[in-house]
Coordinates of all heavy atoms in Angstrom, one line a residue:
Q1 N 13.3 6.8 8.2 CA 11.9 7.0 7.9 C 11.2 5.7 7.8 O 11.6 4.8 7.0 CB 11.8 7.8 6.6 CG 12.3 9.2 6.7 CD 12.2 9.9 5.3 OE1 12.5 9.3 4.3 NE2 11.8 11.2 5.3
I2 N 10.1 5.5 8.5 CA 9.4 4.3 8.5 C 8.8 4.0 7.2 O 8.8 2.8 6.7 CB 8.4 4.3 9.7 CG1 9.1 4.3 11.0 CG2 7.5 3.0 9.6 CD1 8.2 4.5 12.2
I3 N 8.2 5.0 6.6 CA 7.5 4.7 5.3 C 8.5 4.2 4.2 O 8.2 3.3 3.5 CB 6.7 6.0 4.8 CG1 5.6 6.3 5.8 CG2 6.2 5.8 3.4 CD1 4.5 5.3 5.9
D4 N 9.6 4.9 4.2 CA 10.6 4.5 3.2 C 11.1 3.1 3.4 O 11.2 2.3 2.5 CB 11.8 5.5 3.2 CG 11.4 6.8 2.7 OD1 10.4 7.0 2.0 OD2 12.2 7.8 3.0
R5 N 11.3 2.7 4.7 CA 11.7 1.3 5.0 C 10.6 0.4 4.6 O 10.8 -0.7 4.1 CB 12.1 1.2 6.5 CG 13.4 1.8 6.8 CD 14.0 1.4 8.1 NE 13.0 1.2 9.2 CZ 12.9 2.0 10.2 NH1 13.6 3.1 10.3 NH2 11.9 1.8 11.1
A6 N 9.3 0.8 4.9 CA 8.2 -0.1 4.6 C 8.1 -0.3 3.1 O 7.8 -1.4 2.7 CB 6.9 0.5 5.2
E7 N 8.2 0.7 2.3 CA 8.2 0.6 0.9 C 9.3 -0.3 0.4 O 9.1 -1.1 -0.5 CB 8.3 2.0 0.2 CG 7.1 2.9 0.4 CD 7.3 4.3 -0.1 OE1 8.0 4.4 -1.1 OE2 6.7 5.2 0.5
A8 N 10.5 -0.1 0.9 CA 11.6 -0.9 0.5 C 11.4 -2.4 0.8 O 11.7 -3.3 0.0 CB 12.9 -0.4 1.1
E9 N 10.9 -2.6 2.0 CA 10.6 -4.0 2.4 C 9.5 -4.6 1.5 O 9.6 -5.8 1.1 CB 10.2 -4.0 3.9 CG 9.8 -5.4 4.4 CD 11.0 -6.4 4.4 OE1 12.2 -5.9 4.4 OE2 10.8 -7.6 4.5
L10 N 8.5 -3.8 1.2 CA 7.4 -4.3 0.3 C 8.0 -4.7 -1.0 O 7.7 -5.7 -1.6 CB 6.3 -3.3 0.2 CG 5.2 -3.6 -0.8 CD1 4.5 -4.9 -0.4 CD2 4.2 -2.4 -0.9
A11 N 8.8 -3.8 -1.6 CA 9.4 -4.0 -2.9 C 10.3 -5.3 -2.9 O 10.2 -6.1 -3.8 CB 10.2 -2.8 -3.3
N12 N 11.0 -5.4 -1.8 CA 11.9 -6.6 -1.6 C 11.0 -7.9 -1.6 O 11.3 -8.9 -2.3 CB 12.7 -6.5 -0.4 CG 13.7 -7.6 -0.2 OD1 14.3 -8.1 -1.2 ND2 13.9 -8.1 1.0
R13 N 10.0 -7.9 -0.8 CA 9.1 -9.1 -0.6 C 8.4 -9.4 -1.9 O 8.2 -10.5 -2.3 CB 8.1 -8.9 0.5 CG 8.7 -8.7 1.8 CD 9.3 -10.0 2.3 NE 9.8 -9.9 3.6 CZ 10.3 -10.8 4.4 NH1 10.3 -12.1 3.9 NH2 10.7 -10.6 5.5
L14 N 7.9 -8.4 -2.6 CA 7.3 -8.6 -3.9 C 8.2 -9.2 -5.0 O 7.9 -10.0 -5.8 CB 6.6 -7.3 -4.4 CG 5.4 -6.8 -3.6 CD1 5.0 -5.4 -4.1 CD2 4.3 -7.8 -3.8
A15 N 9.5 -8.7 -4.9 CA 10.5 -9.2 -5.9 C 10.7 -10.7 -5.6 O 10.8 -11.5 -6.5 CB 11.8 -8.4 -5.7
Q16 N 10.8 -11.0 -4.3 CA 11.0 -12.4 -3.9 C 9.8 -13.3 -4.3 O 10.0 -14.4 -4.8 CB 11.2 -12.6 -2.4 CG 12.5 -12.0 -1.9 CD 12.6 -12.0 -0.3 OE1 11.6 -12.3 0.3 NE2 13.7 -11.7 0.2
L17 N 8.6 -12.7 -4.2 CA 7.4 -13.4 -4.6 C 7.4 -13.7 -6.1 O 7.1 -14.8 -6.6 CB 6.2 -12.6 -4.1 CG 4.8 -13.3 -4.4 CD1 4.7 -14.5 -3.6 CD2 3.8 -12.3 -4.0
G18 N 7.8 -12.6 -6.8 CA 7.9 -12.8 -8.3 C 8.9 -13.8 -8.7 O 8.7 -14.6 -9.7
E19 N 10.1 -13.8 -8.1 CA 11.1 -14.8 -8.4 C 10.6 -16.2 -8.1 O 10.8 -17.1 -8.9 CB 12.4 -14.5 -7.6 CG 13.1 -13.2 -8.1 CD 14.2 -12.8 -7.1 OE1 14.4 -13.5 -6.1 OE2 14.7 -11.7 -7.3
G20 N 10.0 -16.3 -7.0 CA 9.5 -17.7 -6.7 C 8.4 -18.1 -7.6 O 8.3 -19.3 -8.0
A21 N 7.5 -17.2 -8.1 CA 6.5 -17.5 -9.0 C 7.1 -17.9 -10.4 O 6.6 -18.8 -11.1 CB 5.5 -16.4 -9.2
A22 N 8.2 -17.2 -10.8 CA 8.8 -17.4 -12.1 C 9.5 -18.8 -12.1 O 9.5 -19.5 -13.1 CB 9.8 -16.3 -12.4
E23 N 10.0 -19.2 -10.9 CA 10.6 -20.5 -10.8 C 9.7 -21.7 -10.7 O 10.0 -22.8 -10.8 CB 11.6 -20.5 -9.7 CG 12.8 -19.5 -9.9 CD 13.6 -19.4 -8.6 OE1 13.4 -20.1 -7.6 OE2 14.6 -18.6 -8.7
S24 N 8.4 -21.4 -10.3 CA 7.4 -22.4 -10.0 C 6.9 -23.0 -11.3 O 6.8 -22.4 -12.4 CB 6.3 -21.8 -9.3 OG 5.2 -22.7 -9.1
T25 N 6.6 -24.3 -11.2 CA 5.9 -25.0 -12.4 C 4.4 -25.0 -12.2 O 3.7 -25.4 -13.1 CB 6.4 -26.4 -12.5 OG1 6.1 -27.1 -11.2 CG2 7.9 -26.5 -12.7
G26 N 3.9 -24.4 -11.1 CA 2.5 -24.3 -10.9 C 1.9 -23.1 -11.7 O 2.6 -22.5 -12.5
P27 N 0.6 -22.8 -11.4 CA -0.1 -21.7 -12.1 C 0.5 -20.4 -11.7 O 1.1 -20.2 -10.6 CB -1.5 -21.9 -11.6 CG -1.5 -22.7 -10.4 CD -0.2 -23.6 -10.5
A28 N 0.4 -19.4 -12.6 CA 0.9 -18.1 -12.3 C 0.1 -17.4 -11.2 O -1.0 -17.8 -11.0 CB 0.8 -17.3 -13.6
L29 N 0.7 -16.4 -10.6 CA 0.0 -15.7 -9.6 C -1.2 -14.9 -10.2 O -1.0 -14.2 -11.3 CB 0.9 -14.7 -8.9 CG 2.0 -15.3 -8.0 CD1 2.9 -14.2 -7.5 CD2 1.4 -16.0 -6.8
D30 N -2.3 -14.9 -9.6 CA -3.5 -14.2 -10.1 C -3.7 -12.9 -9.4 O -4.2 -11.9 -10.0 CB -4.7 -15.1 -10.0 CG -5.9 -14.4 -10.6 OD1 -5.8 -14.0 -11.8 OD2 -7.0 -14.3 -10.0
A31 N -3.3 -12.9 -8.1 CA -3.5 -11.6 -7.3 C -2.5 -11.6 -6.2 O -2.0 -12.6 -5.7 CB -4.9 -11.6 -6.8
I32 N -2.2 -10.4 -5.8 CA -1.4 -10.1 -4.6 C -2.2 -9.2 -3.7 O -2.6 -8.1 -4.2 CB 0.0 -9.4 -5.0 CG1 0.8 -10.3 -5.9 CG2 0.7 -9.1 -3.7 CD1 2.0 -9.6 -6.5
V33 N -2.4 -9.5 -2.5 CA -3.1 -8.7 -1.6 C -2.2 -8.1 -0.5 O -1.4 -8.9 0.1 CB -4.3 -9.4 -0.9 CG1 -5.0 -8.6 0.2 CG2 -5.3 -10.0 -1.9
V34 N -2.1 -6.8 -0.4 CA -1.2 -6.2 0.6 C -2.1 -5.6 1.7 O -2.9 -4.7 1.4 CB -0.4 -5.1 -0.1 CG1 0.5 -4.4 1.0 CG2 0.4 -5.6 -1.2
E35 N -2.0 -6.1 2.9 CA -2.7 -5.6 4.1 C -1.9 -4.6 4.8 O -0.7 -4.9 5.2 CB -3.2 -6.8 4.9 CG -4.2 -6.4 5.9 CD -3.7 -5.8 7.2 OE1 -2.5 -6.1 7.6 OE2 -4.4 -5.0 7.8
T36 N -2.4 -3.4 5.1 CA -1.5 -2.4 5.8 C -2.2 -1.8 7.0 O -2.4 -0.6 7.1 CB -1.2 -1.3 4.8 OG1 -2.5 -0.7 4.4 CG2 -0.4 -1.8 3.6
T37 N -2.4 -2.6 8.0 CA -3.1 -2.1 9.2 C -2.3 -0.9 9.8 O -1.0 -1.0 9.9 CB -3.1 -3.2 10.3 OG1 -4.0 -4.3 9.8 CG2 -3.7 -2.7 11.6
G38 N -2.9 0.1 10.1 CA -2.3 1.3 10.7 C -1.8 2.4 9.7 O -1.4 3.4 10.1
L39 N -1.8 2.1 8.4 CA -1.4 3.1 7.5 C -2.7 3.8 6.9 O -3.6 3.2 6.4 CB -0.7 2.5 6.3 CG 0.7 1.9 6.6 CD1 1.3 1.4 5.3 CD2 1.6 3.0 7.1
A40 N -2.7 5.1 7.1 CA -3.9 5.8 6.7 C -3.8 6.2 5.2 O -4.9 6.4 4.6 CB -4.0 7.1 7.5
D41 N -2.7 6.3 4.6 CA -2.5 6.7 3.2 C -2.0 5.5 2.4 O -0.8 5.1 2.6 CB -1.6 7.9 3.2 CG -1.4 8.4 1.7 OD1 -2.1 7.9 0.8 OD2 -0.5 9.3 1.6
P42 N -2.8 5.0 1.5 CA -2.3 3.9 0.7 C -1.4 4.3 -0.5 O -0.8 3.5 -1.2 CB -3.6 3.3 0.1 CG -4.5 4.4 0.1 CD -4.2 5.3 1.2
G43 N -1.2 5.6 -0.7 CA -0.4 6.1 -1.8 C 1.0 5.6 -1.9 O 1.4 5.1 -2.9
P44 N 1.7 5.6 -0.8 CA 3.1 5.1 -0.9 C 3.2 3.6 -1.2 O 4.1 3.2 -1.9 CB 3.7 5.3 0.5 CG 2.9 6.5 1.0 CD 1.5 6.3 0.5
V45 N 2.2 2.8 -0.8 CA 2.2 1.4 -1.1 C 1.9 1.2 -2.6 O 2.6 0.5 -3.3 CB 1.1 0.7 -0.3 CG1 0.9 -0.8 -0.7 CG2 1.5 0.7 1.2
C46 N 0.9 2.0 -3.1 CA 0.6 1.9 -4.5 C 1.8 2.4 -5.4 O 2.1 1.8 -6.4 CB -0.6 2.7 -4.8 SG -2.1 2.1 -4.1
K47 N 2.4 3.4 -4.9 CA 3.6 4.0 -5.6 C 4.7 2.9 -5.8 O 5.4 2.9 -6.8 CB 4.1 5.2 -4.9 CG 5.2 5.9 -5.6 CD 5.7 7.1 -4.9 CE 6.6 6.7 -3.7 NZ 7.2 7.7 -3.0
T48 N 4.8 2.1 -4.8 CA 5.9 1.0 -4.9 C 5.7 0.2 -6.1 O 6.7 -0.2 -6.7 CB 5.8 0.1 -3.6 OG1 6.0 1.0 -2.5 CG2 6.9 -0.9 -3.6
F49 N 4.5 -0.1 -6.5 CA 4.3 -0.9 -7.7 C 4.7 -0.2 -9.0 O 4.9 -0.8 -10.0 CB 2.8 -1.3 -7.8 CG 2.4 -2.4 -6.8 CD1 2.0 -2.0 -5.6 CD2 2.6 -3.7 -7.1 CE1 1.7 -3.0 -4.6 CE2 2.2 -4.7 -6.2 CZ 1.8 -4.4 -5.0
Y50 N 4.8 1.1 -9.0 CA 5.1 1.9 -10.2 C 6.6 2.4 -10.1 O 7.2 2.6 -11.2 CB 4.2 3.1 -10.3 CG 2.8 2.7 -10.5 CD1 1.9 2.8 -9.4 CD2 2.3 2.3 -11.7 CE1 0.5 2.5 -9.6 CE2 1.0 1.9 -11.9 CZ 0.1 2.0 -10.8 OH -1.2 1.6 -11.0
A51 N 7.1 2.5 -8.9 CA 8.5 3.0 -8.8 C 9.6 2.0 -9.2 O 10.6 2.3 -9.7 CB 8.7 3.5 -7.4
E52 N 9.3 0.7 -9.0 CA 10.2 -0.3 -9.3 C 10.0 -0.9 -10.7 O 8.9 -1.3 -11.0 CB 10.1 -1.5 -8.3 CG 10.3 -1.1 -6.8 CD 11.8 -0.9 -6.6 OE1 12.6 -1.6 -7.2 OE2 12.2 -0.1 -5.7
D53 N 11.0 -0.8 -11.5 CA 10.8 -1.2 -12.9 C 10.3 -2.7 -13.0 O 9.4 -3.0 -13.8 CB 12.1 -1.1 -13.7 CG 12.5 0.3 -14.0 OD1 11.6 1.2 -14.0 OD2 13.7 0.6 -14.3
S54 N 10.9 -3.6 -12.2 CA 10.5 -5.0 -12.3 C 9.1 -5.2 -11.9 O 8.4 -6.0 -12.5 CB 11.4 -5.8 -11.5 OG 11.4 -5.5 -10.1
L55 N 8.6 -4.4 -10.9 CA 7.2 -4.6 -10.5 C 6.3 -3.9 -11.5 O 5.2 -4.4 -11.8 CB 7.0 -3.9 -9.1 CG 7.7 -4.7 -8.0 CD1 7.5 -3.8 -6.7 CD2 7.1 -6.0 -7.8
R56 N 6.7 -2.8 -12.0 CA 5.8 -2.0 -13.0 C 5.5 -2.9 -14.2 O 4.4 -2.9 -14.7 CB 6.5 -0.7 -13.4 CG 5.6 0.1 -14.2 CD 6.1 1.5 -14.5 NE 7.5 1.5 -15.1 CZ 8.6 1.9 -14.4 NH1 8.5 2.5 -13.2 NH2 9.7 1.9 -15.0
H57 N 6.5 -3.7 -14.6 CA 6.3 -4.5 -15.8 C 5.6 -5.8 -15.6 O 5.0 -6.4 -16.5 CB 7.6 -4.8 -16.5 CG 8.3 -3.5 -17.0 ND1 7.7 -2.7 -17.9 CD2 9.4 -2.9 -16.7 CE1 8.5 -1.6 -18.2 NE2 9.5 -1.8 -17.4
R58 N 5.6 -6.3 -14.3 CA 5.0 -7.6 -14.0 C 3.7 -7.5 -13.2 O 3.0 -8.5 -13.1 CB 6.0 -8.4 -13.2 CG 7.3 -8.6 -13.9 CD 8.3 -9.3 -13.1 NE 8.0 -10.7 -12.8 CZ 8.7 -11.5 -12.1 NH1 9.7 -11.0 -11.5 NH2 8.3 -12.7 -11.9
T59 N 3.3 -6.3 -12.7 CA 2.1 -6.2 -11.9 C 1.3 -5.0 -12.3 O 1.8 -4.1 -13.0 CB 2.4 -6.1 -10.4 OG1 3.2 -4.9 -10.2 CG2 3.2 -7.3 -9.9
R60 N 0.1 -4.9 -11.8 CA -0.7 -3.7 -11.9 C -1.6 -3.6 -10.7 O -2.1 -4.6 -10.1 CB -1.5 -3.7 -13.2 CG -2.7 -4.7 -13.2 CD -3.5 -4.6 -14.5 NE -4.4 -5.7 -14.6 CZ -5.6 -5.6 -14.2 NH1 -6.1 -4.5 -13.6 NH2 -6.4 -6.7 -14.3
V61 N -1.8 -2.4 -10.3 CA -2.7 -2.1 -9.1 C -4.2 -2.1 -9.7 O -4.5 -1.3 -10.5 CB -2.4 -0.8 -8.4 CG1 -3.4 -0.5 -7.3 CG2 -1.0 -0.8 -7.9
D62 N -5.0 -3.0 -9.2 CA -6.3 -3.1 -9.8 C -7.3 -2.4 -8.9 O -8.3 -1.9 -9.4 CB -6.7 -4.6 -9.8 CG -8.0 -4.8 -10.5 OD1 -8.3 -4.2 -11.5 OD2 -8.8 -5.6 -10.0
G63 N -7.0 -2.2 -7.6 CA -7.9 -1.5 -6.7 C -7.3 -1.3 -5.4 O -6.3 -2.0 -5.0
V64 N -8.0 -0.5 -4.6 CA -7.6 -0.2 -3.2 C -8.9 -0.3 -2.4 O -9.9 0.4 -2.7 CB -7.0 1.2 -3.1 CG1 -6.7 1.5 -1.6 CG2 -5.7 1.3 -3.9
L65 N -8.8 -1.1 -1.3 CA -10.0 -1.2 -0.4 C -9.6 -0.6 0.9 O -8.5 -0.9 1.4 CB -10.3 -2.7 -0.2 CG -11.3 -3.0 0.8 CD1 -12.7 -2.6 0.3 CD2 -11.3 -4.5 1.1
T66 N -10.5 0.3 1.4 CA -10.2 1.0 2.7 C -11.3 0.6 3.6 O -12.5 0.6 3.3 CB -10.2 2.5 2.5 OG1 -9.2 2.8 1.5 CG2 -9.9 3.2 3.8
V67 N -10.9 0.2 4.8 CA -11.8 -0.1 5.9 C -11.6 0.9 7.0 O -10.5 1.3 7.3 CB -11.5 -1.5 6.5 CG1 -12.5 -1.9 7.6 CG2 -11.6 -2.6 5.4
V68 N -12.7 1.5 7.5 CA -12.7 2.5 8.5 C -13.3 2.0 9.8 O -14.1 1.1 9.8 CB -13.4 3.8 8.1 CG1 -12.8 4.4 6.8 CG2 -14.9 3.6 7.9
D69 N -12.9 2.6 10.9 CA -13.4 2.4 12.2 C -14.8 3.1 12.3 O -14.9 4.3 12.5 CB -12.4 2.9 13.3 CG -12.9 2.7 14.7 OD1 -14.1 2.3 14.9 OD2 -12.1 3.0 15.6
A70 N -15.8 2.3 12.2 CA -17.2 2.9 12.2 C -17.6 3.6 13.4 O -18.3 4.6 13.4 CB -18.2 1.8 11.9
A71 N -17.0 3.2 14.6 CA -17.4 3.8 15.8 C -16.8 5.2 15.9 O -17.3 6.1 16.6 CB -16.9 3.0 17.0
H72 N -15.6 5.5 15.3 CA -15.0 6.8 15.4 C -14.8 7.6 14.2 O -14.3 8.7 14.2 CB -13.6 6.5 16.0 CG -13.6 5.9 17.3 ND1 -13.4 4.5 17.5 CD2 -13.9 6.3 18.6 CE1 -13.5 4.2 18.7 NE2 -13.8 5.3 19.4
F73 N -15.3 7.0 13.1 CA -15.1 7.6 11.8 C -15.6 9.1 11.7 O -14.9 10.0 11.3 CB -15.7 6.8 10.6 CG -15.6 7.4 9.3 CD1 -14.4 7.5 8.6 CD2 -16.7 7.9 8.7 CE1 -14.3 8.1 7.4 CE2 -16.7 8.5 7.4 CZ -15.4 8.6 6.8
L74 N -16.8 9.3 12.0 CA -17.4 10.6 11.9 C -16.7 11.7 12.7 O -16.5 12.8 12.3 CB -18.9 10.6 12.1 CG -19.8 10.0 11.1 CD1 -21.2 10.0 11.5 CD2 -19.6 10.7 9.7
S75 N -16.4 11.3 14.0 CA -15.7 12.3 14.8 C -14.3 12.6 14.3 O -13.9 13.7 14.4 CB -15.6 11.8 16.3 OG -14.8 10.6 16.4
Q76 N -13.6 11.6 13.8 CA -12.3 11.9 13.2 C -12.4 12.7 11.9 O -11.6 13.6 11.7 CB -11.6 10.5 12.8 CG -11.2 9.7 14.0 CD -10.1 10.4 14.8 OE1 -9.1 10.9 14.1 NE2 -10.1 10.3 16.1
L77 N -13.4 12.5 11.1 CA -13.6 13.2 9.9 C -14.0 14.7 10.2 O -13.5 15.6 9.4 CB -14.7 12.6 9.0 CG -14.8 13.0 7.6 CD1 -13.5 12.8 6.8 CD2 -16.0 12.3 6.9
R78 N -14.7 14.9 11.2 CA -15.2 16.3 11.5 C -14.2 17.1 12.4 O -14.4 18.3 12.5 CB -16.5 16.2 12.3 CG -17.6 15.7 11.4 CD -18.9 15.5 12.2 NE -20.0 15.0 11.3 CZ -21.0 14.3 11.7 NH1 -21.0 13.9 13.0 NH2 -21.9 13.9 10.9
R79 N -13.2 16.5 12.9 CA -12.3 17.3 13.8 C -11.6 18.4 13.1 O -11.4 18.3 11.9 CB -11.3 16.4 14.5 CG -10.2 15.9 13.6 CD -9.2 15.0 14.4 NE -8.2 14.6 13.4 CZ -7.3 13.7 13.6 NH1 -7.3 13.0 14.7 NH2 -6.4 13.5 12.6
Q80 N -11.3 19.5 13.8 CA -10.7 20.6 13.2 C -9.2 20.4 13.0 O -8.5 19.8 13.9 CB -10.9 21.8 14.2 CG -12.3 22.3 14.3 CD -12.9 22.8 13.0 OE1 -12.2 23.5 12.3 NE2 -14.1 22.4 12.7
R81 N -8.7 20.8 11.9 CA -7.3 20.6 11.5 C -6.7 22.0 11.0 O -7.5 22.7 10.4 CB -7.1 19.6 10.5 CG -7.4 18.2 10.9 CD -7.3 17.2 9.7 NE -7.8 15.9 10.1 CZ -9.1 15.6 10.1 NH1 -10.0 16.6 9.7 NH2 -9.6 14.5 10.4
S82 N -5.5 22.2 11.1 CA -4.9 23.4 10.5 C -4.9 23.2 9.0 O -5.1 22.1 8.5 CB -3.5 23.6 11.0 OG -2.6 22.5 10.5
D83 N -4.8 24.3 8.3 CA -4.8 24.3 6.8 C -3.8 23.4 6.2 O -4.0 22.8 5.1 CB -4.7 25.7 6.2 CG -5.9 26.6 6.6 OD1 -7.0 26.0 6.8 OD2 -5.8 27.8 6.5
C84 N -2.6 23.2 6.8 CA -1.6 22.4 6.2 C -1.6 21.0 6.7 O -0.7 20.2 6.3 CB -0.2 23.1 6.4 SG 0.2 23.2 8.2
A85 N -2.5 20.6 7.5 CA -2.5 19.2 8.1 C -3.0 18.3 7.0 O -3.8 18.6 6.1 CB -3.5 19.2 9.3
V86 N -2.5 17.1 7.1 CA -2.9 16.0 6.2 C -4.1 15.3 6.9 O -4.0 14.9 8.1 CB -1.7 15.0 5.9 CG1 -2.2 13.8 5.1 CG2 -0.6 15.7 5.3
N87 N -5.1 15.0 6.1 CA -6.3 14.3 6.7 C -5.9 12.8 6.7 O -5.9 12.1 5.7 CB -7.5 14.5 5.8 CG -8.7 13.8 6.4 OD1 -8.6 13.2 7.5 ND2 -9.9 13.9 5.8
E88 N -5.6 12.3 7.9 CA -5.3 10.9 8.1 C -6.4 10.1 8.8 O -6.2 9.1 9.4 CB -4.0 10.7 8.8 CG -2.8 11.3 8.0 CD -1.5 11.1 8.7 OE1 -1.5 10.7 9.9 OE2 -0.5 11.3 8.1
S89 N -7.6 10.6 8.7 CA -8.7 9.9 9.3 C -9.2 8.7 8.6 O -9.2 8.7 7.4 CB -9.9 10.9 9.5 OG -9.6 12.0 10.2

């Protein structure tokens, strides 16, 4: 599963980042920005910050910014889907 691998990779990279910051004599990290081109649902990425104990205690999700394709947004939003389909527009 690609999402599970992506979440695991994100957790691993964030752990490495945290370890590096802890060992640094410089200023503490003020922010972490995660860019996810091609992912329609930010939920799994946000969940990663809460699922890992070490991340949950050292970080917090402050916000989620979504950028849409303005040329195609309305047609994607209006298209017909079955009742059980997930809206990934």
Side-chain angles (χ1 to χ4, degrees):
Q1 292 175 322
I2 294 173
I3 295 296
D4 292 338
R5 287 197 319 253
E7 290 174 34
E9 180 65 20
L10 175 61
N12 183 40
R13 296 290 182 175
L14 290 170
Q16 291 173 351
L17 185 62
E19 290 167 7
E23 295 171 2
S24 174
T25 58
L29 292 175
D30 185 51
I32 300 169
V33 176
V34 179
E35 193 278 331
T36 59
T37 296
L39 291 181
D41 181 7
V45 173
C46 294
K47 185 179 77 173
T48 301
F49 286 90
Y50 298 102
E52 299 285 329
D53 287 338
S54 61
L55 292 174
R56 185 172 54 247
H57 296 299
R58 298 173 72 182
T59 63
R60 70 179 170 90
V61 175
D62 187 44
V64 176
L65 173 68
T66 302
V67 178
V68 299
D69 178 351
H72 301 100
F73 175 69
L74 287 178
S75 64
Q76 291 290 320
L77 192 62
R78 292 178 179 147
R79 74 179 181 193
Q80 295 295 317
R81 292 175 193 78
S82 66
D83 290 338
C84 62
V86 175
N87 184 0
E88 295 183 351
S89 297

